[in-house]
């Protein structure tokens, strides 16, 4: 049985209808719609960056003309209505008409090969940009042809001040423009595709002559028989820009950021191509205000859109990802006839949430532990009874809110243990007046943090399931579509196996917990990106430290992050360059997230939060906020740690 969760499904779907059927509109609304409403999504260079699998290519393909044209044709289909609304909100569609002529070019080895040629930098850059422009033009015209539009009905609208150079691109008629673009592409490919680059004096004139269609074209005009001409704004999307040499990437960025360009242009990239300082700034800033390159100002000349959480709105971003992930999973599940025939088209329906009652031996162990804690800490029976009553009331509320009737006895004893240790911490024994049951210095609260800490303690002490249910699965995905799909894929595979074996399709919490932790460890072991060994060592040290603190008897903190003072972190590139380099790739490959300028205890912190896979591996909470305080020197020592 083919499992679409186990591969980049959108990249394997050649048919536009099938592609659109699995695309969820949430990322469009979340990341691109605000930029469109602010007026800068199409009028300046937009750099969309994120870790592998964050959805960059899916977004790029969605804005290509064939996808837009197909979406318009399906506008009356309820399955595509939400996506249509989102694309309309991004001003890519207006009514029943596409407004953009989008194309996507992948910046693979052809373009990097220019950098290896023994030519002056200016010549190499000029040839690369000419090839990009020629291929963009050919792609735009090819997309129109595939949509059934004859090129004799297509002309360009040139910029008013560019009439004198229109002839250099072939004029205004599409057929002549296409012919000229083919000539330029062939000449340039003869240079970059040669086994040995030809001497400069042997390069064809078409490869070095003035050819700047991006400076000329303002729009494409399509003549229609029964209505006014359709004007489309050209959009070129440069995918995989990180494949370029770093210097080449910066030169391309500077060239695309020129204000006189009228075409819309996006670059899709990972953080790899940036310097450590730039990568960490992009990953942790919202919005980015500093100058990135000489003569180019972020915000005015180019805009960064980062496909992951950052800044103060991370809670709402997590809720948004949950919504997107659930919709995406259900769309993928509907593509599997095996489940559709059983009426299982909602991922939540195969993720069981009712825990099996704890075994008698476990309950005996937990009760004995609570009794020993009471004796050791000399806690009076009446005080323990008060704490037990508070725990019972809380657990009843949890069960009522969830509409469940689970056995929480094991959790009750774990919570009671935590509360007795907290009580002991907040008292200093009998008072001067003989009170041998003093009140704590601060009231003891029985809340979700105590419940969650108790569940974590039980995960590590008696292997009670902790990672189960749709919300925790989404949170473990670290707001990365591909990671979420990979984690989900192993659950879907096991559910299908159970059905084949004649069992219920629903996965028990214990099965979910085991599979997710096993898959997370497998993903980490398969990492092979730059500095992955150092990233693993860093995560091991932070993860182990967070786990040890989480398991302290009073559960005073359940961290999954490491905090460095913001002031110290801002100097990381100069004070700890190797650490900055390692963190760059940890961010780029979704192993950590940065939360800068986090206020705590009257200080500003940059919080280095572990991603979903290391949190699963080391048995940490998926809740945000708790972090271990430290410094860059200790993190540098962590790099030398042993797994």
């Amino acid at each position: 049985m083919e499992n679409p969760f186990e591969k980049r499904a959108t990249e394997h779907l050649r048919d536009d209808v099938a592609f659109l059927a699995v695309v969820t509109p949430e990322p469009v609304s979340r990341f691109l719609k605000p930029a469109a409403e602010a007026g800068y999504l199409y009028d300046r260079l937009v750099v969309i960056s994120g870790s592998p699998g964050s959805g960059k290519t899916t977004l790029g393909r969605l804005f290509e003309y064939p996808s837009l044209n197909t979406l318009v044709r399906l506008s009356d289909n309820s399955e595509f209505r939400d996506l249509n609304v989102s694309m309309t909100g991004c001003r890519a569609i207006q009514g029943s008409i596409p407004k953009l002529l989008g194309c996507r070019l992948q910046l693979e080895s052809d373009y990097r090969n220019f950098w290896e040629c023994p030519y002056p930098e200016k010549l190499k850059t000029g040839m690369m940009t000419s090839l990009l422009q020629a291929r963009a033009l050919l792609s735009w015209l090819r997309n129109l042809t595939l949509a059934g539009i004859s090129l004799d009905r297509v002309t360009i609208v040139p910029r008013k001040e560019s009439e004198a150079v229109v002839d250099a691109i072939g004029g205004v008629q599409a057929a002549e423009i296409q012919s000229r673009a083919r000539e330029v592409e062939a000449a340039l490919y003869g240079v970059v595709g040669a086994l040995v680059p030809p001497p400069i004096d042997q390069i064809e004139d078409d490869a070095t002559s003035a050819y700047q269609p991006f400076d000329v074209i303002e729009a494409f005009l399509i003549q229609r028989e029964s209505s006014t001409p359709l004007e489309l704004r050209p959009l070129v999307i440069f995918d995989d820009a990180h494949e370029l040499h770093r210097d080449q990437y910066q030169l391309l960025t500077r060239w695309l950021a020129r204000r006189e360009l009228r075409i819309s242009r996006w670059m899709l990239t990972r953080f790899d191509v940036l310097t450590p300082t730039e990568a960490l700034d992009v990953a942790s800033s919202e919005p980015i205000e500093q100058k990135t390159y000489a003569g180019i100002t972020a915000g005015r000349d180019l805009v960064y859109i980062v496909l992951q959480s950052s800044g103060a709105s991370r809670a709402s971003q997590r809720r948004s990802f949950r919504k997107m992930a659930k919709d995406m999973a259900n769309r993928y599940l509907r593509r599997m006839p095996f489940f559709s025939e059983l009426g299982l088209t909602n991922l939540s329906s195969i993720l069981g949430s009712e825990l099996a009652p704890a075994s008698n031996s476990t309950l005996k162990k937990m009760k004995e532990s609570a009794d020993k804690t009471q004796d050791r800490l000399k806690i009076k029976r009446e005080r323990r009874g008060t704490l037990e009553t508070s725990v019972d009331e809380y657990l009843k509320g949890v069960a009522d809110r969830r509409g469940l009737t689970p056995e929480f006895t094991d959790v009750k004893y774990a919570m009671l243990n935590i509360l007795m240790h907290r009580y002991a911490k907040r008292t200093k024994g009998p008072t001067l007046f003989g009170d041998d049951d003093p009140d704590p210095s601060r009231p003891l609260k029985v809340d979700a943090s105590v419940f969650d800490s108790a569940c974590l303690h039980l995960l590590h002490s008696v292997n009670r399931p902790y990672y189960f249910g749709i919300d925790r699965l989404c949170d473990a995905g670290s707001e990365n579509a591909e990671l979420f799909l990979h984690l989900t894929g192993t659950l879907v595979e096991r559910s299908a196996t159970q059905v084949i074996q004649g069992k219920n399709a629903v996965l028990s919490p214990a099965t979910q917990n085991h599979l997710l932790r096993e898959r997370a460890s497998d993903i980490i072991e398969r990492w092979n990106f730059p500095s992955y060994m150092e990233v693993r060592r860093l995560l091991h040290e932070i993860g182990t430290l967070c786990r040890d603190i989480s398991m302290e008897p009073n559960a005073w903190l359940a961290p999954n992050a490491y905090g460095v003072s913001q002031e110290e972190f801002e100097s990381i590139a100069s004070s700890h360059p190797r650490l900055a380099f390692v963190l760059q790739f940890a961010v780029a490959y979704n192993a950590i997230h940065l939360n800068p300028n986090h206020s705590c205890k009257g200080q500003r912190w940059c919080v280095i939060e572990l991603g979903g896979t290391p949190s699963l591996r080391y048995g940490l909470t998926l809740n945000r906020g708790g972090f271990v305080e430290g410094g860059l020197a200790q993190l540098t020592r962590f790099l030398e740690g042993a797994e």
Side-chain angles (χ1 to χ4, degrees):
M1 177 186 65
E2 182 182 4
N3 187 347
F5 291 90
E6 294 290 352
K7 61 184 180 180
R8 298 288 299 276
T10 56
E11 295 185 2
H12 291 271
L13 297 174
R14 301 303 178 190
D15 178 73
D16 289 323
V17 176
F19 164 72
L20 294 171
V22 299
V23 175
T24 177
E26 187 63 28
V28 179
S29 299
R30 174 181 169 186
F31 295 112
L32 302 184
K33 186 177 178 181
E37 291 175 341
Y40 54 73
L41 188 59
Y42 306 117
D43 70 347
R44 65 201 73 178
L45 174 61
V46 176
V47 180
I48 301 176
S49 57
S51 55
S54 55
K56 302 182 296 295
T57 296
T58 298
L59 283 177
R61 181 175 173 183
L62 187 57
F63 279 78
E64 289 188 88
Y65 186 75
S67 298
L68 292 176
N69 198 45
T70 301
L71 187 58
V72 165
R73 290 193 292 104
L74 298 170
S75 59
D76 293 332
N77 189 319
S78 59
E79 183 179 358
F80 302 94
R81 191 163 297 148
D82 289 344
L83 185 58
N84 204 303
V85 169
S86 294
M87 296 299 285
T88 300
C90 282
R91 303 175 186 176
I93 294 173
Q94 185 176 7
S96 59
I97 300 174
K99 300 300 292 181
L100 299 173
L101 177 57
C103 74
R104 181 169 59 92
L105 300 180
Q106 291 182 288
L107 301 186
E108 295 174 336
S109 58
D110 276 1
Y111 304 100
R112 186 169 181 132
N113 286 346
F114 277 117
W115 208 248
E116 311 302 327
C117 292
Y119 304 143
E121 181 182 283
K122 184 176 181 181
L123 178 60
K124 292 189 293 188
T125 303
M127 289 193 295
M128 178 188 69
T129 56
S130 292
L131 182 58
L132 288 172
Q133 292 176 89
R135 287 181 171 171
L137 264 174
L138 292 173
S139 184
W140 283 325
L141 297 176
R142 186 184 310 114
N143 286 343
L144 290 174
T145 302
L146 291 174
I149 300 172
S150 174
L151 292 188
D152 58 13
R153 295 163 47 199
V154 180
T155 57
I156 64 163
V157 178
R159 288 173 49 191
K160 292 182 179 178
E161 62 272 24
S162 65
E163 289 87 345
V165 293
V166 168
D167 289 344
I169 68 167
V172 298
Q173 298 296 323
E176 285 74 14
I177 292 173
Q178 183 185 61
S179 177
R180 175 62 179 150
R182 285 173 174 167
E183 292 173 355
V184 173
E185 181 190 34
L188 288 166
Y189 188 75
V191 176
V192 74
L195 292 176
V196 178
I200 293 178
D201 58 4
Q202 294 182 19
I203 298 176
E204 294 183 34
D205 291 342
D206 283 337
T208 57
S209 60
Y211 183 74
Q212 299 292 334
F214 284 10
D215 291 347
V216 176
I217 298 173
E218 191 163 286
F220 283 81
L221 203 63
I222 301 172
Q223 300 297 327
R224 296 184 293 179
E225 295 180 359
S226 57
S227 57
T228 58
L230 172 63
E231 186 172 300
L232 297 175
R233 179 167 193 161
L235 165 66
V236 59
I237 303 166
F238 297 112
D239 200 355
D240 295 328
H242 50 269
E243 295 285 352
L244 300 174
H245 185 278
R246 180 175 295 170
D247 294 339
Q248 192 179 20
Y249 173 91
Q250 294 183 359
L251 289 167
L252 178 62
T253 300
R254 185 178 294 115
W255 177 72
L256 289 172
R258 293 175 300 146
R259 298 177 199 172
E260 61 268 21
L261 294 181
R262 293 291 189 270
I263 67 163
S264 302
R265 59 271 188 208
W266 298 354
M267 292 175 67
L268 312 183
T269 183
R270 301 203 298 251
F271 299 123
D272 308 36
V273 76
L274 305 177
T275 65
T277 301
E278 292 165 349
L280 296 179
D281 282 342
V282 170
S284 63
S285 301
E286 188 181 46
I288 297 168
E289 298 293 345
Q290 76 280 358
K291 291 186 177 182
T292 307
Y293 305 113
I296 300 175
T297 304
R300 186 178 64 181
D301 300 313
L302 78 164
V303 173
Y304 285 105
I305 297 176
V306 183
L307 303 184
Q308 65 185 54
S309 285
S310 60
S313 60
R314 295 195 317 150
S316 63
Q317 291 169 349
R318 170 168 276 192
R319 289 193 296 270
S320 177
F321 181 78
R322 284 182 179 181
K323 179 180 177 182
M324 182 203 81
K326 293 173 186 178
D327 182 52
M328 180 170 57
N330 295 340
R331 289 170 182 267
Y332 275 52
L333 205 59
R334 288 196 293 268
R335 293 190 61 242
M336 303 179 71
F338 181 87
F339 286 98
S340 296
E341 291 169 2
L342 296 173
L344 299 173
T345 57
N346 189 304
L347 183 63
S348 298
S349 64
I350 66 172
L351 302 180
S353 58
E354 290 197 32
L355 287 161
S359 66
N360 291 333
S361 60
T362 296
L363 292 178
K364 181 181 178 181
K365 176 182 177 181
M366 297 302 300
K367 184 179 183 304
E368 289 175 350
S369 176
D371 293 342
K372 290 178 181 178
T373 297
Q374 181 186 356
D375 292 341
R376 186 173 65 256
L377 299 178
K378 296 181 172 55
I379 294 175
K380 292 295 183 180
R381 181 185 305 171
E382 293 78 9
R383 177 65 62 177
R384 172 173 170 165
T386 300
L387 295 177
E388 281 193 82
T389 299
S390 298
V391 171
D392 288 337
E393 290 176 353
Y394 177 82
L395 292 178
K396 183 179 184 301
V398 170
D400 289 344
R401 285 195 301 274
R402 295 180 179 179
L404 305 173
T405 56
E407 289 292 336
F408 277 135
T409 310
D410 52 347
V411 184
K412 171 183 174 177
Y413 286 127
M415 293 178 70
L416 182 60
N417 241 321
I418 291 171
L419 290 170
M420 287 192 292
H421 278 94
R422 290 188 179 184
Y423 172 77
K425 284 278 188 181
R426 298 180 190 183
T427 60
K428 298 181 179 179
T431 68
L432 293 175
F433 303 101
D435 184 1
D436 59 357
D437 186 32
D439 289 330
S441 58
R442 288 183 290 116
L444 294 171
K445 292 176 61 178
V446 183
D447 56 16
S449 66
V450 178
F451 177 82
D452 193 62
S453 293
C455 291
L456 274 177
H457 281 202
L458 290 170
L459 168 70
H460 292 286
S461 61
V462 297
N463 200 30
R464 183 184 193 270
Y466 181 79
Y467 303 106
F468 62 92
I470 186 65
D471 285 342
R472 280 197 173 149
L473 172 60
C474 292
D475 294 346
S478 294
E479 299 176 39
N480 181 278
E482 186 175 77
L483 175 58
F484 169 77
L485 291 176
H486 283 328
L487 292 174
T488 305
T490 194
L491 301 180
V492 171
E493 193 74 30
R494 176 59 64 87
S495 176
T497 300
Q498 290 185 181
V499 173
I500 293 171
Q501 293 174 345
K503 302 175 183 178
N504 196 314
V506 178
L507 301 177
S508 68
T511 299
Q512 296 174 55
N513 185 81
H514 170 73
L515 291 175
L516 288 175
R517 297 196 71 189
E518 184 178 63
R519 186 59 181 269
S521 293
D522 181 64
I523 289 172
I524 291 174
E525 291 303 319
R526 290 175 181 271
W527 281 346
N528 62 357
F529 51 81
S531 297
Y532 73 94
M533 291 295 293
E534 289 172 296
V535 171
R536 282 213 303 239
R537 284 197 291 269
L538 187 67
L539 296 183
H540 176 76
E541 296 294 335
I542 295 176
T544 301
L545 178 61
C546 289
R547 182 181 61 201
D548 292 345
I549 291 175
S550 298
M551 291 301 292
E552 291 192 8
N554 65 335
W556 65 277
L557 184 66
N560 61 359
Y562 187 94
V564 179
S565 77
Q566 183 67 31
E567 182 178 3
E568 183 182 14
F569 189 83
E570 288 172 355
S571 66
I572 186 172
S574 57
S575 63
H576 296 80
R578 183 60 191 173
L579 177 62
F581 185 79
V582 172
L583 288 179
Q584 172 188 358
F585 286 99
V587 170
Y589 288 88
N590 214 46
I592 64 171
H593 300 284
L594 299 182
N595 181 25
N597 295 306
H598 177 76
S599 296
C600 182
K601 298 181 181 180
Q603 298 183 52
R604 291 188 309 123
W605 302 85
C606 182
V607 178
I608 303 169
E609 180 184 289
L610 299 188
T613 46
S615 293
L616 288 170
R617 181 173 190 169
Y618 294 103
L620 307 178
T621 182
L622 295 172
N623 298 330
R624 286 170 162 167
F627 65 92
V628 182
E629 298 177 15
L632 296 180
Q634 185 180 19
L635 285 179
T636 300
R637 290 194 296 272
F638 283 170
L639 293 181
E640 307 303 324
E643 292 189 56

